[in-house]
């Protein structure tokens, strides 16, 4: 039976058309279970009924037309109870509903089981037989197991909804990973790569000199393309975001890639084929890695390869005319796509692949473009020019939305637009409540040392500089001299304000290509401070470079990641002191000694704050990881992403406890994470007593505007009530109500 189950589910998943897949499914189940009829109904939550989609045994004319209400008949009862129903004589059951058009008069016994995906009944699978009998345990177990396995496949197959079913649905809603906040409402424009290495046939020509020349010319032209893209965006986003294109240029200059392409050409391959072989090799290496951040770099490698291929082939395309406004949709939205279309009316992006770590999502956030990533259930061949709403807050995509939904989101967009103008006016005003409570709003950074844009939007320093990002764009560990130059640029961006640099934080979802880490559970494994303490030669070199760079500016703060106990802090502080005394001796003078802080992201440290307060100068909560560890959920896993919620009462209470303990021991406290960048979250943190909030540059002015319009006393009332609530949904609803009452409806986090 197990083999039969696997075969049925596999064939269902591989069939591109849902109608065909369902037809094959019921026929296979009927045959495998040796019954007289098998049928499948799909739930339509707009019309509140189940629609008969396929059957082998019922009248064919009824398919796609017969509906059974959620509270009607045996099918409705299965959906209501959310459990199997096994009836020997269906017609005698009090819930039986006679439906003449399906012609089931000769069928007596009935076994139905719900198909449930993410706690929601999406369909009913049933079998019927002429004999009046109860189906046995094995038959019931088979149908239940099949329905459970079908649930995910059917949820994904929903992308190919048949014509008849589509007529019964006012709109379709799909959910992906929120990549960048905001709302876009416009037609979808599906963009295909102008050149695609993955579809390129391999060819040998044995003309190495000519092919090498073609390759070198294409590389030079591609470099010019990336410089032009960077220039187009230079007035739109900050330099830290433009460094995505610097990374592309570094890849172009990579001796490994160029050398390997040349070697392939010398063995007889044409330039295009040689490029494909090398790019595919590197992309597959990245895709095979466990760490999510590095897996996303495979997309960058393929994007680079396609750009070179385009110039090798010197292609020219007549693009489909673009509407004045559109949502860009692609299998893999890349940073270069965004650069190419950002001035042509693009209002948002939807990518079938990728996560919030992809460079497309990073660039979208910097530009204030709503983005949804990883929405793999979207059929590209069916949605071009379809009207849609992309909700970058919740990750929801609404295709062909109805009027009520359009009006709801239009109102939200209007509020956001009106508020955005007001927000700009306070960019250089202090972040202080009307009754005088100040808070510092600082920058999360790491992609580069250019922060001119961030200063324009009102950042007063850097709360988190991710030092691992420059490490990732190299083929070996950087020298102390190289690191010193990097850190000088960062420190000079805010010479009179604090710059907090986190020591190398790799492992988990981040790794270095030249320092691979293979673990069964990387998020709970060898990562952050655990790695650098095990390799003091790496740690000492980095903190020496930091302090050497700081000798001129004296604004450095050093932050230690992934701390789980006092021993790690003691060991790290000892190494920092060692590096400090070495540098003082080498330079022949006493240099500025940085303040040392730790990230609070491992839940266990909440119970050691007293001991930790005696060892460090400040605390900084990493709310994203703290939430992930407190709730034991991977926020990038679509199956459980709905559980990840930093408004969960347990998370809010933990954050409040940290604030109370920090104030008790007189330790300055900051927070880095998505919660800080949301107006409602920022108000709660302000009320808790956090001294500093660190976020991306796009959100600084928005959060500042809200803080300047809400009194501290009102924020404390909001916090006090929020801490009494028992579910995240209750918290969201309450905060939405409060923002509406305060006239801040445009700042409501959609989907709360």
């Amino acid at each position: 039976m197990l083999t039969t189950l696997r075969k049925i589910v596999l064939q269902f998943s591989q069939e591109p058309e849902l109608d065909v897949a369902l037809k094959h499914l019921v026929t296979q189940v009927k045959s495998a279970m040796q019954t007289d009829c098998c049928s499948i109904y799909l739930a339509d939550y707009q019309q509140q009924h189940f629609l008969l989609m396929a059957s082998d045994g019922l009248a064919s004319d009824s398919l796609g037309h017969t509906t059974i209400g959620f509270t009607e008949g045996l099918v409705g009862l299965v959906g209501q109870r959310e459990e199997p129903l096994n009836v020997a004589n269906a017609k005698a059951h009090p819930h039986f509903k006679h439906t003449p058009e399906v012609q089931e008069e000769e069928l007596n016994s009935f076994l139905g089981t719900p198909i449930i995906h993410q706690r929601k009944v999406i369909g009913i699978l049933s079998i019927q037989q002429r004999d009046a009998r109860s189906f046995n345990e094995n038959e019931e177990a088979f149908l239940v197991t099949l329905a459970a396995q079908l649930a995910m496949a059917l949820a994904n197959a929903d992308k190919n909804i048949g014509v008849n079913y589509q007529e019964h649905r006012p709109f379709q809603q799909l959910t992906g990973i929120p990549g960048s906040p905001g709302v876009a409402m416009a037609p979808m424009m599906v963009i295909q790569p102008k050149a695609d290495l993955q579809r390129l046939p391999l060819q040998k020509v044995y003309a190495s000199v000519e092919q090498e020349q073609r390759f070198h010319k294409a590389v030079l032209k591609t470099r010019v393309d990336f410089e032009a893209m960077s220039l187009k965006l230079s007035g739109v986003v900050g330099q830290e975001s433009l460094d995505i294109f610097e990374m592309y240029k570094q890849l172009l200059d990579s001796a490994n890639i160029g050398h390997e392409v040349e070697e392939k050409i010398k063995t007889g391959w044409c330039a295009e084929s040689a490029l494909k072989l090398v790019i595919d090799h590197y992309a597959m290496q990245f895709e095979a890695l466990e760490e999510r951040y590095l897996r996303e770099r495979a997309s960058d490698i393929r994007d680079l390869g396609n750009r070179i291929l385009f110039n090798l082939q010197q292609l020219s395309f007549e693009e489909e005319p673009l509407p004045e406004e559109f949502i860009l949709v692609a299998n893999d939205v890349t940073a270069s796509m965004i650069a190419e279309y950002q001035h042509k009316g693009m209002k948002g992006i939807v990518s079938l692949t990728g996560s919030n770590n992809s460079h497309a999502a990073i660039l979208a956030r910097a530009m204030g473009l709503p983005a949804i990533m990883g929405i793999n259930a979207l059929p590209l061949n069916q949605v071009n020019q379809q009207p849609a709403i992309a909700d970058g807050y919740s990750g929801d995509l609404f295709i062909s939305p109805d009027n009520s939904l359009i009006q709801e989101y239009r109102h939200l967009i209007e509020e956001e637009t009106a508020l955005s103008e007001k927000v700009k006016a306070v960019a250089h005003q202090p972040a202080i409540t009307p009754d005088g409570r100040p808070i510092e709003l600082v920058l999360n950074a790491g992609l580069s040392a250019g922060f001119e844009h961030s200063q324009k939007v009102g950042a007063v320093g850097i709360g988190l500089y991710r030092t691992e990002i420059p490490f990732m764009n190299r083929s070996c560990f950087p020298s102390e001299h190289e690191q010193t130059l990097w850190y000088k640029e960062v420190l000079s961006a805010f010479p009179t304000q604090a710059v907090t640099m986190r020591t190398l934080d790799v492992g988990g979802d981040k790794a270095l290509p030249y320092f691979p880490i293979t673990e069964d559970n990387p998020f709970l494994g060898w990562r952050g401070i655990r790695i650098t303490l095990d390799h003091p030669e790496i740690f000492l070199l980095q903190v020496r470079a930091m302090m050497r760079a700081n000798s001129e500016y004296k604004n450095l703060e050093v932050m230690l990641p992934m701390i789980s106990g006092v021993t790690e802090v003691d060991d790290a502080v000892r190494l920092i002191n060692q590096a400090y005394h070495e540098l003082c001796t080498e330079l022949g003078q006493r240099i500025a000694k940085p303040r040392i802080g730790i990230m609070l992201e491992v839940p266990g440290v909440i119970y050691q704050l007293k001991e930790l307060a005696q060892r460090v100068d400040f605390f900084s909560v990493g709310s994203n990881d703290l939430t992930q560890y407190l709730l034991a959920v991977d926020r990038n896993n679509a199956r459980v992403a709905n559980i990840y919620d930093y408004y969960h009462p347990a998370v809010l209470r933990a954050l409040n406890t940290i604030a109370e303990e920090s104030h008790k021991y007189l330790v300055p406290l900051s927070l880095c994470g998505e919660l800080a960048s949301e107006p409602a979250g920022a108000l709660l943190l302000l009320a808790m007593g956090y001294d500093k909030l660190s976020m991306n540059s796009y959100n600084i002015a928005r959060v500042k505007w809200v803080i300047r319009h809400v009194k501290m006393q009102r924020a404390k009332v909001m916090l006090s009530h929020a801490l009494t609530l028992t579910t995240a949904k209750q918290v969201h609803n309450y905060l939405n109500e409060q923002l509406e009452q305060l006239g801040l409806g445009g700042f409501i986090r959609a989907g709360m």
Side-chain angles (χ1 to χ4, degrees), residues 9 24 51 72 114 134 159 165 169 193 205 221 224 252 281 289 293 337 381 450 551 562 631 664 723 744 747-748:
V9 175
H24 289 167
L51 176 66
E72 296 178 334
S134 293
K159 61 187 176 182
Y165 189 36
R169 299 183 65 172
V205 295
K221 177 62 170 65
V224 172
L252 278 176
H281 170 72
L289 294 173
Y293 182 88
M337 277 186 189
N381 61 342
S551 61
M562 200 60 186
L631 302 181
K664 179 178 177 181
L723 291 175
L744 306 176
F747 285 118
I748 289 177

Side-chain angles (χ1 to χ4, degrees), residues 347-558:
K347 293 298 179 183
I349 68 170
V350 174
S351 183
L352 273 65
T353 59
S355 73
N356 54 10
N357 286 323
S358 68
H359 276 154
I362 292 170
L363 190 55
R365 288 196 291 271
M367 296 173 65
L369 280 172
I372 302 174
M373 315 301 293
I375 193 161
N376 56 17
L378 185 65
L380 292 183
N381 61 342
Q382 297 179 25
V383 300
N384 193 42
Q385 297 192 19
Q386 290 291 312
I389 298 172
D391 187 335
Y393 296 103
S394 63
D396 289 327
L397 176 68
F398 302 96
I399 303 170
S400 299
D402 60 18
N403 287 333
S404 63
L405 197 63
I406 290 172
Q407 291 304 317
E408 179 183 341
Y409 272 96
R410 184 171 288 157
H411 177 64
L412 178 60
I413 292 171
E414 288 172 355
E415 285 186 327
E416 284 193 336
T417 302
L419 282 171
S420 65
E421 295 303 316
K422 298 178 182 178
V423 162
K424 292 176 184 177
V426 304
H428 295 288
Q429 299 296 317
I432 184 170
T433 64
D435 48 356
R437 169 66 162 90
I439 190 168
E440 293 183 50
L441 302 184
V442 291
L443 180 70
N444 283 345
L447 286 175
S448 90
F451 301 105
E452 294 82 0
H453 180 72
S454 303
Q455 292 164 333
K456 289 178 184 176
V457 298
V460 294
I462 298 176
L464 170 62
Y465 180 73
R466 305 177 182 92
T467 61
E468 63 273 8
I469 303 298
F471 277 70
M472 290 177 177
N473 295 332
R474 296 179 46 82
S475 58
C476 62
F477 281 106
S479 67
E480 181 178 338
H481 176 68
E482 287 177 289
Q483 292 187 59
T484 301
L485 294 179
W486 296 344
Y487 303 147
K488 275 187 177 180
E489 288 188 69
V490 180
L491 294 168
S492 66
F494 293 90
T496 62
Q497 293 158 322
V499 172
T500 304
M501 293 187 178
R502 184 175 65 190
T503 59
L504 187 63
D505 186 16
V506 293
D509 60 344
K510 298 169 290 186
L512 306 175
Y514 46 88
F515 191 64
I517 302 169
T518 303
E519 294 182 306
D520 291 335
N521 195 340
F523 283 98
L524 299 180
W526 200 45
R527 58 172 299 196
I529 197 69
R530 301 168 185 177
I531 292 177
T532 50
L533 287 180
D534 285 350
H535 282 276
E537 74 281 11
I538 298 172
F539 186 82
L540 285 167
L541 202 69
Q542 183 176 38
V543 294
R544 280 172 56 92
M546 288 179 179
M547 290 190 286
R548 191 184 291 274
N550 187 51
S551 61
E552 179 180 349
Y553 300 102
K554 303 176 179 61
N555 60 338
L556 169 70
E557 295 182 343
V558 176

Side-chain angles (χ1 to χ4, degrees), residues 19 69 120 134 143 186 290 293 305 357 361 534 550-551 581 656 730:
D19 287 340
K120 191 174 185 178
S134 293
L143 202 67
E290 290 291 331
Y293 182 88
N357 286 323
D534 285 350
N550 187 51
S551 61
H581 292 301
N656 192 54
Q730 289 175 347

Side-chain angles (χ1 to χ4, degrees), residues 437 595 597-600 605-614 616-622 626 653-671 685 688-692:
R437 169 66 162 90
R595 298 169 74 238
I598 60 172
M599 291 204 77
L600 306 180
V605 298
I606 297 174
Y607 303 100
Q608 285 196 301
L609 293 176
K610 178 180 179 180
E611 294 85 352
L612 292 168
Q614 298 167 358
V616 297
D617 301 304
F618 65 93
F619 294 150
S620 182
V621 176
L626 181 63
R653 292 169 192 174
L655 293 173
N656 192 54
T657 296
I658 291 171
E660 290 174 343
E661 292 292 292
S662 299
H663 295 154
K664 179 178 177 181
Y665 301 118
L666 304 178
V667 180
L669 178 65
S670 65
L671 183 140
L685 295 169
M688 290 179 191
Y690 281 77
D691 306 297
K692 185 185 297 185

Side-chain angles (χ1 to χ4, degrees), residues 119-166:
R119 305 186 184 186
K120 191 174 185 178
V121 176
I122 61 174
I124 305 293
L125 180 63
S126 70
I127 57 174
Q128 294 169 269
Q129 200 157 344
R130 292 184 179 90
D131 298 337
R133 71 175 182 92
S134 293
F135 289 93
N136 63 42
E137 289 183 1
N138 289 338
E139 290 170 319
E140 185 171 327
F142 180 89
L143 202 67
V144 169
T145 306
L146 177 60
Q149 292 189 20
L150 277 176
M152 178 64 74
L154 184 58
N156 290 334
D158 195 39
K159 61 187 176 182
N160 293 317
I161 291 167
V163 175
N164 291 332
Y165 189 36
Q166 184 69 31

Side-chain angles (χ1 to χ4, degrees), residues 23 25-41 52 54-60 62-63 75 102-112 124-131 133 135 139 143:
K23 183 178 179 180
L25 171 70
V26 293
T27 300
Q28 288 175 308
V29 174
K30 175 183 174 181
S31 174
M33 301 193 71
Q34 298 181 356
T35 62
D36 297 314
C37 177
C38 177
S39 307
I40 188 165
Y41 302 78
L52 176 61
S55 179
D56 189 337
L58 299 182
S60 58
S62 64
L63 305 182
V75 169
V102 303
Q103 299 176 16
E104 60 179 345
E105 287 76 11
E106 297 183 6
L107 301 172
N108 289 294
S109 56
F110 172 91
L111 172 61
I124 305 293
L125 180 63
S126 70
I127 57 174
Q128 294 169 269
Q129 200 157 344
R130 292 184 179 90
D131 298 337
R133 71 175 182 92
F135 289 93
E139 290 170 319
L143 202 67

Side-chain angles (χ1 to χ4, degrees), residues 184 186 191 233 322-329 333-335 337-350 364 367 369-370:
I191 305 298
L233 291 174
L322 297 171
E324 290 186 9
E325 296 183 348
F326 62 93
I327 297 170
L328 188 151
V329 181
V333 176
T334 63
M337 277 186 189
I338 294 177
E340 185 173 348
Y341 289 96
Q342 57 89 22
H343 61 295
K344 298 179 180 179
M346 180 174 61
K347 293 298 179 183
I349 68 170
V350 174
M367 296 173 65
L369 280 172

Side-chain angles (χ1 to χ4, degrees), residues 66-124:
T66 297
T67 61
I68 298 177
F70 281 172
T71 61
E72 296 178 334
L74 299 180
V75 169
L77 185 60
V78 172
Q80 281 184 299
R81 290 172 46 170
E82 298 184 352
E83 62 182 353
L85 178 65
N86 191 346
V87 180
N89 189 345
K91 298 184 185 70
H93 196 282
H95 280 79
F96 177 77
K97 177 185 178 183
H98 180 57
T99 311
E101 66 268 23
V102 303
Q103 299 176 16
E104 60 179 345
E105 287 76 11
E106 297 183 6
L107 301 172
N108 289 294
S109 56
F110 172 91
L111 172 61
T113 189
I115 304 171
I116 301 176
H117 177 66
Q118 294 183 344
R119 305 186 184 186
K120 191 174 185 178
V121 176
I122 61 174
I124 305 293

